[in-house]
Amino acid sequence: MTTPTPPLGCHHGLGSRYYRLCDRNEAWGIVLEALAVFGIVTTAAFMLTLLILVCKVQDSNKRKVLPTQFLFLLGVLGIFGLTFAFIIQLDSGTGPTRFFLFGILFALCFSCLLAHALNLIKLVYGRKPLSLLMILALAVGFSLVQDIIAVEYLVLTMNRTDANIFSELSVQRRNEDFVMLLIYVLILMVLTFLTSSFTFCGSFTGWKRHGAHIFLTMFFSIAIWVAWITLLFIHDVASEWDDTILSSALVANGWVFLLIYIVPEFHLLTNQRNPKDYPVEDAFCRPQLMKSGMENTAYSQQITQGTEPVWVENSCLELDDSLYAPYSTHFQLQTRNSKDFSIPRPQMRESPYSNYEGRKEGS
């Protein structure tokens, strides 16, 4: 049995499943391979830079997001690496890899963006932000749902042992199953997009720029997903270009993650902490009304013309611009109309013995 002649650009002895990596007649494989490799190198450089810059981040709330952003970069690294599974010919090895990792990696990236957006919503409204562990737990928790879905699908489809089932399926059936497997990821994308839009409504504008990075990233990601899903359901196009469509979507979305989210975030990472991004020296508290006459060690007051001051106590509540003035003095007066409760001063009475000289009257 003679071995097939390798195409132009490929060496003898190379398996036919790898021909797209070097075939000059199908240059899309070489182009996507080069973009994916460059993306892997760039992502690894960002991960290393993130570890170096940890100690230089002055803002504590930016530092809290660093573990989640590192997890996000791991997902981006996996997306670029998964591109090779779509360039290489579909078989028993690449089939399960495609169906299992595609949704998991994107779910991880979108979950990290969603957790970051939820934290930004609290910051733009001047509320107490999420903790480092809470942000990381939200990102991992949202992504685990897709992991469970992918595992169940592989177990049911492969029947535990039949790994060739993906290459044996018709192109239309395989593409339908592939998109159906990603329904949760699509929901996650829409949820992240809507959540990031709420970051534009807060009072502390310094955090809105971070929200804009997530918003634009999700906008272009949704556009890419709509495009490749639409092309995948066109039978004449999908039967010949399905691998090209999916591998191109991976590379394009990976670079969107890097250029629109990671690069701007790194640019803002080491910026000096801006006091205008926080309410009153990062204290997420406002005055709470107390009954007059109660004693406490910390008071604030607010003055209203023509009324009497009432002392109020500091209490950690949701900020309200109508009741809370950032960067004012520590003591404020809150007033109300009331009667005069001032205590009169004591007066000295004249003593009956003031004119006594020790003599009887008339003597």
Side-chain angles (χ1 to χ4, degrees):
M1 182 177 179
T2 59
T3 58
T5 304
L8 181 64
C10 298
H11 297 285
H12 290 279
L14 183 66
S16 59
R17 62 197 298 257
Y18 302 107
Y19 281 168
R20 289 176 179 172
L21 296 173
C22 54
D23 188 0
R24 295 181 184 177
N25 296 325
E26 296 186 34
W28 65 267
I30 300 176
V31 173
L32 292 177
E33 177 188 1
L35 291 174
V37 171
F38 187 46
I40 291 173
V41 175
T42 305
T43 306
F46 276 122
M47 294 173 69
L48 182 61
T49 306
L50 187 65
L51 296 176
I52 297 174
L53 293 178
V54 168
C55 299
K56 297 184 179 180
V57 179
Q58 299 180 4
D59 197 324
S60 60
N61 286 312
K62 291 181 182 178
R63 197 181 303 115
K64 291 177 182 177
V65 191
L66 294 183
T68 305
Q69 290 178 333
F70 188 85
L71 187 64
F72 175 84
L73 286 172
L74 283 177
V76 176
L77 187 67
I79 286 174
F80 283 121
L82 184 62
T83 304
F84 294 93
F86 287 88
I87 298 176
I88 299 173
Q89 186 179 357
L90 178 66
D91 54 18
S92 59
T94 58
T97 304
R98 294 182 182 186
F99 278 78
F100 183 71
L101 290 181
F102 192 96
I104 287 178
L105 292 173
F106 275 108
L108 179 62
C109 292
F110 293 139
S111 297
C112 292
L113 294 177
L114 178 58
H116 191 186
L118 291 173
N119 187 56
L120 288 174
I121 289 178
K122 286 182 168 290
L123 290 170
V124 295
Y125 284 102
R127 301 171 185 170
K128 187 175 182 180
L130 300 174
S131 64
L132 184 151
L133 293 178
M134 181 60 69
I135 300 173
L136 191 60
L138 286 174
V140 175
F142 285 130
S143 63
L144 282 178
V145 178
Q146 181 62 29
D147 297 355
I148 297 172
I149 295 174
V151 170
E152 290 182 352
Y153 176 82
L154 285 181
V155 171
L156 295 175
T157 303
M158 293 173 55
N159 196 17
R160 298 184 180 181
T161 56
D162 189 8
N164 293 316
I165 185 66
F166 299 104
S167 57
E168 295 173 357
L169 290 174
S170 63
V171 175
Q172 183 178 359
R173 171 64 186 281
R174 185 170 64 244
N175 293 337
E176 290 175 355
D177 286 0
F178 190 80
V179 175
M180 289 291 292
L181 185 60
L182 301 173
I183 290 180
Y184 174 75
V185 182
L186 294 172
I187 296 174
L188 202 60
M189 291 174 64
V190 175
L191 182 60
T192 307
F193 180 74
L194 294 177
T195 303
S196 63
S197 64
F198 291 125
T199 60
F200 301 135
C201 304
S203 302
F204 299 95
T205 58
W207 300 106
K208 293 182 180 181
R209 187 172 178 181
H210 299 271
H213 300 161
I214 301 176
F215 181 85
L216 291 176
T217 300
M218 296 311 304
F219 176 81
F220 285 104
S221 297
I222 292 175
I224 292 172
W225 277 59
V226 170
W228 73 256
I229 290 176
T230 302
L231 292 174
L232 212 60
F233 280 106
I234 300 176
H235 180 70
D236 295 336
V237 176
S239 59
E240 185 177 358
W241 298 98
D242 54 345
D243 290 347
T244 309
I245 294 169
L246 291 172
S247 55
S248 300
L250 283 166
V251 173
N253 218 150
W255 278 106
V256 165
F257 287 150
L258 290 181
L259 297 179
I260 302 181
Y261 177 70
I262 290 297
V263 172
E265 285 293 311
F266 268 71
H267 178 69
L268 300 176
L269 195 60
T270 56
N271 285 2
Q272 190 174 3
R273 176 189 174 108
N274 190 354
K276 294 182 179 180
D277 295 340
Y278 297 95
V280 187
E281 298 296 332
D282 205 10
F284 299 91
C285 301
R286 74 169 183 181
Q288 180 183 7
L289 182 63
M290 290 181 57
K291 294 182 179 180
S292 58
M294 296 185 66
E295 296 181 357
N296 201 297
T297 57
Y299 295 94
S300 52
Q301 49 187 348
Q302 181 179 358
I303 299 176
T304 304
Q305 184 177 0
T307 56
E308 178 185 328
V310 177
W311 295 99
V312 293
E313 179 190 13
N314 283 338
S315 172
C316 287
L317 293 176
E318 182 178 324
L319 291 174
D320 188 346
D321 291 337
S322 62
L323 296 177
Y324 184 65
Y327 298 100
S328 60
T329 58
H330 178 69
F331 291 97
Q332 304 173 3
L333 277 174
Q334 184 168 348
T335 60
R336 67 180 183 184
N337 294 326
S338 59
K339 297 181 180 180
D340 186 9
F341 292 101
S342 60
I343 301 175
R345 296 181 179 179
Q347 299 179 357
M348 298 293 294
R349 293 188 301 176
E350 185 178 358
S351 174
Y353 302 100
S354 60
N355 297 326
Y356 179 73
E357 299 178 355
R359 296 181 299 172
K360 293 183 180 181
E361 293 182 1
S363 57

